[in-house]
Each structure stands twice: as C-alpha cells, then as structure tokens.
Amino acid sequence: MSDIQTTTNTILEVQNLKKYFPVRSGFKNLTLKAVDGVSFSINKGETLGLVGESGCGKTTVGRTLMHLYKPTDGKVIFEGQEVTDKNINEMRKKMQMVFQDPYSSLNPRMTVEDIIGEPLDVHHLYSTKSERREKILNLMELVGLNSEHATRYAHEFSGGQRQRIGIARALSVNPDFIVCDEPVSALDVSIQAQIINMFEELQEKLGIAYLFIAHDLLVVQHISNRIAVMYLGKIVEVAQADELCENPIHPYSISLLSAVPIPDPKIERSRKRIVLEGDVPSPLSMPEGCPFRTRCKYATEKCKNEMPELTDRGNGHFAACHNK
C-alpha cells in the first residue's frame, strides 16, 4: 500500500495476482494456473498493452481485475483502495470492461438504448427518464452512432457498430479505467483502425486509462504507452512500447517481434524469423523454474531450478530472464 501512497499518479496496482481453476482429468483433480503471480501498475490516462499468444492468461487477468473471476490470491488496488467482493459493485462505477466478441456480449432481446442504459439503471445515475435518454443519446454520439439507432436491436448492426455499442455501455458510468479485452480481434482490419482511433480520441477527451489486451503486436504498439509481454500465466517483460519493440530482452519477446511483418519487401526478405522449437507446455503440468525454458535456446540448469524475477534493466525496462 505504501507504493500507492507515494505514487499519486497510479490508478491501478496489481500485486502478485493469481487465478487457478480446478480441473478434473480422469480420476485426478488438477489445478490449472491461468494467472500465476502477475504484478503491474497503470497510471492515470495511460494505456498498458498486454500481449501474448492464445491461452497465456491475458483475458483471465482482465476478468480477474474486474472480479468476474474471483482471484485465488493477490491484490488489486484501484485509486488507493483494495478491490474486494464487498466493494466491487461500487468500484464498477469507475472500472469497466469492453469484451472481445461484440456478437455475444450484447443482449439480443434488448434495444441499443436499453443496452447502453443498463449501467445507468444499475447504479441509479439519473433522476428522470428524459435525463436517462439524453445521456444515452450523448453516449451514442460520442462513439459515432446515430440517434435513430437507439430503438434497434444488436443483430441489426455490423461487428464494428456492435463494438461501438459495447464501448458506449462501458462509458455510460463515466469510468476512469477500462479493460479492453481484444476489442478489435473479431473485426475487419479497416474497422479495427476506426475503433482503435476512437479509443485514442476517447482517452484524449476523457482521460481514461486502459489495459489493452491483444495478440497483435502492431496494434498494441500503436495504442500503448507501455507493453507487458505474458507467457503461460506470468509477465516476462515490461517496457515503454517503442523501447520494447526496438530492444526486446526476453527470448520470448524477441521471437514474438520477429514474426511481426514489416511493410518493406527488402527488409522483410532479409529478416530472419525466430521459430520457437517444441510445444507450449500445458498449464496443468507447468515445468519447474522458468516456464519458457522448454523452448529457449539459452536455457541453463539455473532456469530449470529457479523462476527468474522481473528485474529493472534501466529506463523502466523490466525482464524476467537469467541469461539475457
């Protein structure tokens, strides 16, 4: 807590967050360690990008922050106050989430007006029906929807428009922080750009902080101030966006970045892509020590016995690797 008091600019601090799921396999009860000791902080008005391959635990981090999943261990501290089961409903006035799939995250039986107005109803944020409608129409205008869309249903809209409805719903309580869980991955590339630009404009206007979860490094570099790289439930590297993309330290980050295409045929042809050997270990039977060691060409006996800590490599660049 002392860190929070000394850092007045911090809006969210996550300390050693863990989320384990019990899984039954045959006659055995196993534990799936989806998130295993994750720590990071986000400043007011900042975007922290969270990247990693499918199944690494990114979405579970976002959902656990919002208490959609109850944390197994660790703390989430928002604006200096620990988020608990008792105060989460109050906290959700300031913390919201935009979901990955705009097709399944909107109620098909509700009109757009009612979808956007639902948080206003839950938190009693209006005194008259006309005030409620005025707020909803203002939110629709803010995200680029027309007022005549208010009485329509979600199935009448395209994917990009549905995601705008989801964003308007998140904005309705005037939050300070939004978890964006792969908000553009289900959209066409041209629509992705529009939605990302809108997120940036909203941040400029309203000063919102984002945790932006994605697997597309180009998208994350574009929108983020800092990037955290996640592998098998752990954060392995954190740095300023440009610094991480230009000078990655962790072997996994280096491999991820080598797969990002460069829009210059000459450079692209001369580049060597780093293909990782071996398969991703199962989260049900994690290797001892560093989770990446089974696929890392730098792995030593120390990596087998000891999980590396995230250590500061200078200029706020942190990496968890014994040998780099």
Side-chain angles (χ1 to χ4, degrees):
M1 289 291 284
S2 57
D3 290 345
I4 290 293
Q5 284 153 5
T6 53
T7 324
T8 52
N9 202 31
T10 302
I11 191 167
L12 181 87
E13 172 123 348
V14 177
Q15 299 174 353
N16 198 33
L17 187 68
K18 296 180 181 179
K19 179 57 191 172
Y20 298 168
F21 294 97
V23 176
R24 187 144 178 90
S25 177
F27 296 105
K28 290 181 181 176
N29 289 320
L30 303 173
T31 300
L32 191 152
K33 297 181 176 180
V35 176
D36 194 18
V38 162
S39 299
F40 58 86
S41 64
I42 299 176
N43 292 329
K44 291 173 184 173
E46 181 191 36
T47 300
L48 175 70
L50 185 60
V51 297
E53 58 199 317
S54 296
C56 72
K58 309 183 296 293
T59 291
T60 307
V61 168
R63 287 174 173 257
T64 308
L65 291 186
M66 298 297 300
H67 273 239
L68 298 176
Y69 297 149
K70 190 175 179 182
T72 304
D73 196 12
K75 289 182 178 178
V76 177
I77 299 164
F78 181 71
E79 292 184 337
Q81 190 178 352
E82 187 177 349
V83 180
T84 64
D85 284 344
K86 290 180 181 174
N87 67 10
I88 184 60
N89 285 340
E90 193 59 31
M91 289 291 198
R92 283 190 184 139
K93 283 186 188 176
K94 294 294 178 185
M95 301 166 69
Q96 281 290 309
M97 188 160 183
V98 174
F99 295 92
Q100 176 176 2
D101 185 4
Y103 294 89
S104 62
S105 61
L106 304 178
N107 189 330
R109 291 194 176 93
M110 292 169 75
T111 62
V112 170
E113 185 173 352
D114 287 336
I115 289 170
I116 297 171
E118 192 173 22
L120 299 174
D121 301 338
V122 170
H123 296 291
H124 311 294
L125 297 177
Y126 60 89
S127 47
T128 63
K129 284 281 173 72
S130 60
E131 186 191 344
R132 177 184 186 268
R133 183 165 175 80
E134 189 184 341
K135 283 188 173 188
I136 291 165
L137 294 179
N138 286 340
L139 286 161
M140 290 177 71
E141 187 182 345
L142 191 62
V143 299
L145 293 169
N146 297 327
S147 56
E148 59 261 28
H149 291 154
T151 53
R152 293 190 193 172
Y153 292 88
H155 70 84
E156 299 178 58
F157 295 91
S158 66
Q161 287 173 314
R162 289 185 205 194
Q163 198 57 289
R164 288 173 191 269
I165 296 166
I167 294 164
R169 176 176 62 186
L171 290 172
S172 62
V173 292
N174 196 23
D176 295 325
F177 170 69
I178 297 179
V179 175
C180 305
D181 180 18
E182 302 212 31
V184 296
S185 64
L187 307 176
D188 293 343
V189 174
S190 57
I191 307 299
Q192 284 185 13
Q194 292 174 21
I195 298 295
I196 287 164
N197 290 340
M198 189 176 71
F199 272 119
E200 292 182 317
E201 286 163 18
L202 290 169
Q203 189 172 50
E204 239 173 71
K205 275 185 200 170
L206 307 172
I208 305 168
Y210 298 132
L211 174 66
F212 196 92
I213 299 167
H215 55 255
D216 187 331
L217 262 167
L218 282 176
V219 168
V220 171
Q221 184 187 9
H222 176 76
I223 197 171
S224 303
N225 302 99
R226 288 183 301 133
I227 297 175
V229 179
M230 199 167 175
Y231 183 81
L232 273 185
K234 295 183 184 291
I235 287 179
V236 296
E237 188 162 4
V238 185
Q240 293 292 325
D242 291 341
E243 164 69 15
L244 188 132
C245 292
E246 287 165 19
N247 304 303
I249 293 173
H250 196 279
Y252 178 61
S253 306
I254 293 169
S255 168
L256 272 187
L257 283 156
S258 78
V260 175
I262 291 173
D264 184 324
K266 283 184 181 175
I267 299 174
E268 187 62 36
R269 274 197 295 270
S270 64
R271 277 200 328 157
K272 189 180 178 188
R273 186 172 172 194
I274 300 165
V275 180
L276 295 174
E277 294 180 5
D279 295 323
V280 182
S282 166
L284 289 169
S285 56
M286 295 275 277
E288 294 292 314
C290 175
F292 188 63
R293 69 175 175 80
T294 57
R295 306 175 77 194
C296 181
K297 64 180 180 180
Y298 303 103
T300 61
E301 196 64 27
K302 188 178 184 183
C303 304
K304 189 175 181 179
N305 301 322
E306 196 182 316
M307 173 65 201
E309 295 289 319
L310 265 179
T311 52
D312 193 347
R313 309 303 175 91
N315 296 325
H317 194 149
F318 292 80
C321 185
H322 292 309
N323 304 312
K324 291 287 280 182

